[in-house]
Amino acid sequence: MPEVIFPGPEGRLEGRYQPGNKPRSPVAILLHPHPQGGGTMNNAIVQAMYQSFVRRGFATLRFNFRGVGRSQGTFDQGVGELSDAASALDWLQQFNPEAPVTWVGGFSFGAWIGMQLLMRRPEIKGFISVAPPANMYDFGFLAPCPSSGLIVQGLADEVVAHGAVQKLVDKLKTQKHITITYETVPGANHFFANEMNELMGVIDAYLDMRLATDR
């Protein structure tokens, strides 16, 4: 799991990168929760998603947003962080110019940034959003959402309201040409503290289904 430093809009960004296992590997980028809430690329859910993609042969990158760890810059309310994510994807694609498919995964604040990124980057064909903070941020930009993906929500989440996520899902499910899969995990708090196995079981099953049917 090589440590990497790459250029971002406000200076260097720090990440961890695992190359793919073949020349034309798919690529995945993972985005961490809120920097001002202690979120880093070493968050347990981000690391677990990273490993899920690595196990399936993806060239996989997770990184710290500006001002986190060794990444330069200061927190920018999501605007700069979206630019960071775009720069990270540019860097990933530089090393994987023939990648047949691109995925984005994010947790909480990272899910919000990831879903904005997929609106800007048509090469993103799949997403995983864990606990997208639909009660805190406007997801109205998903009009329409261009890619199929998975949204997972804990039913005992004390940060993100289940009802707000359900409304977002209901809206997305009315859109044509994409399929939104929505899974809930009973008893899980925002960090899936005692339900990590259930969360990763849902994510792994979804990834396997997509990778089998998208060929």
Side-chain angles (χ1 to χ4, degrees):
M1 190 186 308
E3 182 178 319
V4 293
I5 299 287
F6 55 91
E10 290 295 316
R12 69 172 182 263
L13 295 171
E14 169 194 21
R16 298 291 182 276
Y17 173 60
Q18 181 63 51
N21 60 5
K22 59 187 179 186
R24 293 185 73 250
S25 294
V27 299
I29 184 170
L30 286 313
L31 306 175
H32 70 71
H34 205 295
Q36 295 193 318
T40 78
M41 66 177 173
N42 294 324
N43 168 270
I45 291 173
V46 173
Q47 287 202 68
M49 287 198 290
Y50 177 92
Q51 293 299 339
S52 282
F53 281 102
V54 167
R55 284 195 302 272
R56 288 161 178 81
F58 281 70
T60 311
L61 174 70
R62 70 184 203 270
F63 73 97
N64 280 329
F65 289 125
R66 57 184 62 199
V68 177
R70 292 166 59 203
S71 290
Q72 293 178 318
T74 55
F75 178 66
D76 193 31
Q77 308 296 329
V79 177
E81 287 72 20
L82 177 56
S83 296
D84 293 345
S87 293
L89 186 53
D90 288 343
W91 182 88
L92 183 58
Q93 290 173 337
Q94 238 183 306
F95 288 93
N96 300 275
E98 296 185 357
V101 69
T102 301
W103 280 67
V104 61
F107 167 41
S108 194
F109 174 86
W112 179 57
I113 299 294
M115 295 186 90
Q116 291 179 75
L117 185 65
L118 70 87
M119 290 297 296
R120 295 176 172 220
R121 303 295 285 260
E123 68 271 27
I124 297 176
K125 301 302 182 192
F127 70 85
I128 297 172
S129 290
V130 178
N135 57 326
M136 300 174 176
Y137 297 103
D138 182 11
F139 281 76
F141 56 82
L142 293 166
C145 178
S147 306
S148 295
L150 171 69
I151 296 175
V152 190
Q153 178 65 27
L155 292 183
D157 192 324
E158 70 288 7
V159 176
V160 173
H162 169 238
V165 178
Q166 183 69 61
K167 274 187 190 171
L168 170 63
V169 169
D170 291 344
K171 181 182 171 189
L172 295 179
K173 282 195 170 186
T174 66
Q175 296 181 9
K176 295 176 180 174
H177 311 301
I178 62 165
T179 302
I180 302 300
T181 301
Y182 181 47
E183 300 283 355
T184 56
V185 179
N189 68 9
H190 187 59
F191 295 97
F192 293 80
N194 299 311
E195 288 80 18
M196 276 291 287
N197 288 341
E198 290 89 335
L199 171 64
M200 295 318 300
V202 166
I203 290 173
D204 286 341
Y206 180 77
L207 268 180
D208 288 340
M209 179 273 290
R210 283 287 304 273
L211 295 176
T213 56
D214 288 1
R215 283 174 185 159

